[in-house]
Amino acid sequence: MSIYTNKTVLITGGTGMIGRQLVSLLMEEGAKLRVVSLEDPAAAPPGVEYRKADLRDYDKCMEVCQGMDYVFHLAGIKGAPGVVMDRAATILVSFLRFNTNMMEAARQCGVERYLYTSTIGVYSPAEVFYEDDVWKTFPSRNDWYGGWGKRMGELQAEAYKAEYGWEDIAIVRPANVYGPYDNFDISSAMVIPSLIRRAMDGENPLSVWGDGSQVRDFIYAKDVAKGMLIALEKGSGRPINLGSGVGASIKDLVDVITGHMDKRPEVVWDTSKPSGDKKRIMDISRANSLGWRPEISLEDGIKDVMKWYGENREGLHQRYNALSVKESA
């Protein structure tokens, strides 16, 4: 019997890209699910209890945590580095509020196990990211506000272990995640959904920043969700990287996307634009030691996302996007 069978499980951000994959996997394991997000209730996955709530409000966090055995805290704000820097306060303060609130509410409500979703953005620039190196350096300036916000959640978990003896808090650091239900808003989307949308919507020539040589670690959302299940069961106490461990160049990525199109667009490399660090790859040996390995290739993952986008593009403008909501000054 799985540790999830008949357990009450809360997934924050459960209508999102990773959350939906996690919902499906946990339903297969026989868990009783509650999902919370800021999406319209019509967007909730079928077969779950849905709560629409703003987790920056501590009282709301207490409400959704009541009666839960486990919590997967996935709720976050995802966007391209340039947009994130423009919305620095929105990113930092939101992370500090809902990460702190959710973990404290879970503790107060007697939650047994808790998974905190951190990010590749906590790392300083390096070619390979090792979990134990994070606190030796500072986050990259490209991820400065989100990186520090996420680091504080990791530190909170460490503090809870030190003061309260709560050891069953797992921490995962996903790489560059992509999949169905990603953010495809051109004004804030990450590289994969941005390229897919612009290419499939007919941009020709297709303009790409940099020269294509930059290497990034891309990981499919379902692989991340599987890693989260393993981390909560076996990996509490130490952060765990969830990435491909090998990476792919932006040129390879563009070739995969355009190669799946009936009419392949011309590609123009805009070397006048910033392209970021040359190489960013995660070491995934710690995850491997727990029995996790990514299963979905970049080729198959991209093909799946392109199919999903083609079938769902008309309704994407209705989805909640924190970066399109301007806070009062």
Side-chain angles (χ1 to χ4, degrees):
M1 181 183 294
S2 162
I3 70 161
Y4 299 105
T5 305
N6 294 322
K7 291 291 187 178
T8 54
V9 181
L10 171 66
I11 306 173
T12 73
T15 60
M17 176 176 54
I18 304 172
R20 286 179 175 272
Q21 301 284 359
L22 192 57
V23 164
S24 296
L25 293 172
L26 284 167
M27 289 183 77
E28 291 172 8
E29 298 287 340
K32 301 170 185 177
L33 301 181
R34 176 182 294 166
V35 165
V36 59
S37 82
L38 282 171
E39 296 268 20
D40 186 274
V48 305
E49 176 193 352
Y50 181 70
R51 304 275 188 95
K52 183 177 180 180
D54 187 338
L55 300 179
R56 292 173 296 185
D57 183 335
Y58 178 70
D59 290 338
K60 295 295 184 184
C61 293
M62 287 293 291
E63 287 177 17
V64 299
C65 280
Q66 293 291 337
M68 295 294 104
D69 296 315
Y70 306 153
V71 171
F72 287 84
H73 180 46
L74 279 62
I77 301 173
K78 182 182 179 187
V83 179
V84 169
M85 294 299 284
D86 288 342
R87 302 294 300 278
T90 296
I91 295 291
L92 177 62
V93 177
S94 294
F95 279 174
L96 292 175
R97 289 173 68 186
F98 55 61
N99 290 342
T100 305
N101 287 342
M102 273 304 305
M103 197 179 295
E104 176 61 12
R107 185 186 73 84
Q108 293 283 358
C109 291
V111 167
E112 297 171 30
R113 297 177 184 236
Y114 188 96
L115 180 131
Y116 174 69
T117 308
S118 188
T119 171
I120 192 173
V122 299
Y123 286 101
S124 176
E127 289 200 352
V128 181
F129 298 140
Y130 298 93
E131 288 98 339
D132 293 339
D133 288 347
V134 159
W135 293 101
K136 299 175 183 176
T137 57
F138 302 114
S140 166
R141 290 302 308 190
N142 293 326
D143 299 306
W144 190 249
Y145 301 101
W148 276 116
K150 285 292 190 179
R151 278 197 187 194
M152 290 303 100
E154 294 193 21
L155 194 62
Q156 184 181 0
E158 183 182 314
Y160 279 20
K161 180 179 179 180
E163 182 169 349
Y164 305 123
W166 190 11
E167 297 189 352
D168 290 324
I169 302 177
I171 298 169
V172 294
R173 296 173 183 155
N176 299 287
V177 188
Y178 69 99
Y181 295 94
D182 205 339
N183 171 19
F184 286 86
D185 185 337
I186 292 299
S187 66
S188 58
M190 301 291 280
V191 62
I192 287 181
S194 174
L195 287 172
I196 287 176
R197 176 170 180 172
R198 291 190 288 117
M200 292 185 66
D201 286 3
E203 182 178 315
N204 191 6
L206 180 64
S207 178
V208 187
W209 286 16
D211 61 7
S213 64
Q214 318 93 281
V215 175
R216 296 292 180 266
D217 197 326
F218 300 109
I219 183 75
Y220 191 71
K222 188 173 185 178
D223 279 332
V224 174
K226 289 180 177 179
M228 288 175 164
L229 293 181
I230 292 172
L232 191 72
E233 180 178 1
K234 304 177 180 179
S236 297
R238 297 190 300 169
I240 299 167
N241 286 340
L242 297 176
S244 70
V246 292
S249 73
I250 300 301
K251 183 180 186 305
D252 290 339
L253 172 63
V254 171
D255 286 343
V256 170
I257 292 171
T258 58
H260 283 300
M261 299 182 64
D262 293 334
K263 183 179 180 181
R264 194 165 185 156
E266 176 189 357
V267 177
V268 175
W269 300 97
D270 188 350
T271 55
S272 69
K273 295 291 197 307
S275 55
D277 301 327
K278 196 68 177 174
K279 183 178 179 182
R280 290 162 56 95
I281 304 293
M282 282 188 151
D283 176 80
I284 57 171
S285 5
R286 183 171 293 173
N288 291 165
S289 72
L290 298 175
W292 177 86
R293 282 175 176 76
E295 300 173 2
I296 300 167
S297 69
L298 185 66
E299 180 90 21
D300 289 342
I302 292 295
K303 184 178 180 180
D304 188 48
V305 177
M306 292 178 72
K307 180 176 183 295
W308 183 89
Y309 176 73
E311 294 170 350
N312 293 275
R313 73 176 93 191
E314 297 304 323
L316 290 178
H317 67 281
Q318 299 174 356
R319 295 192 62 207
Y320 177 81
N321 179 0
L323 291 175
S324 67
V325 179
K326 268 291 185 185
E327 301 287 349
S328 299

